Amino acid sequence: MERPARRGEPLQRLLFGGVYGSVLASALAAALGHEGENPGYDALWVALTGVASAAAHGYAHSIAHRTSDDRQVTASAVRSMLAEWPLVAAMVPTMAALLGAYAKWWGEQSAIEVALTLNMVALCGWGVWAARVAGRGWAASLRVGGVDVLIGLLIVIANGLSH
């Protein structure tokens, strides 16, 4: 039996993790953040969710690419999970904004607004970068970045409607 192809290059993992982590962090920040709650606790939940999502995603890829003759299943699964670090790294700006609110540098609602804004900018950047890597011109790349921003904008709108 032929071994299934492994996921793409490290750059593809970075781009995927960046987009996925930015969207996930935005959704979590919008769902968790309410004035009067503990922003440190919210930052911890963003971090734990990022790590759990990265581990689950890496493990799922490991299972999908496992064959009956795999001898080092555990090592392969751990490597696959660790390769998901970009997803967690993309969530750091949201965690930092929440930790800033925990340190009383600003209010939690301000931290949420900053996090959502940073994540929209990041989504634009990830989209432009991915399109450029794929060989698209600047105009097409900027359109892709704009579409990625719409994902973040939907979360901002949903956050606004929920309050």
Side-chain angles (χ1 to χ4, degrees):
M1 177 176 196
E2 185 176 320
R3 183 180 213 50
R6 295 298 274 173
R7 252 184 356 178
E9 300 295 318
L11 181 59
Q12 291 170 320
R13 286 188 203 153
L14 174 67
L15 294 170
F16 171 84
V19 170
Y20 189 77
S22 297
V23 170
L24 182 60
S26 293
L28 286 168
L32 292 173
H34 301 287
E35 255 344 294
E37 291 184 9
N38 183 342
Y41 181 78
D42 290 349
L44 176 63
W45 271 108
V46 171
L48 290 175
T49 302
V51 169
S53 297
H57 194 259
Y59 185 69
H61 274 285
S62 179
I63 289 171
H65 297 290
R66 187 176 297 163
T67 64
S68 60
D69 65 341
D70 275 345
R71 303 265 187 258
Q72 299 178 355
V73 173
T74 302
S76 171
V78 169
R79 276 192 307 277
S80 187
M81 286 186 265
L82 291 174
E84 297 297 328
W85 68 265
L87 189 156
V88 178
M91 298 176 81
V92 169
T94 299
M95 290 183 272
L98 289 167
L99 289 173
Y102 179 73
K104 307 287 188 225
W105 294 344
W106 47 73
E108 186 171 15
Q109 190 56 43
S110 294
I112 299 300
E113 291 167 7
V114 166
L116 292 174
T117 301
L118 287 172
N119 288 333
M120 280 198 308
V121 170
L123 283 168
C124 182
W126 292 119
V128 169
W129 190 9
R132 293 295 294 159
V133 166
R136 300 222 174 140
W138 278 106
S141 297
L142 291 171
R143 282 192 301 272
V144 170
V147 169
D148 283 5
V149 167
L150 291 177
I151 297 168
L153 191 57
L154 287 173
I155 294 169
V156 169
I157 291 169
N159 184 45
L161 292 175
S162 71
H163 292 287

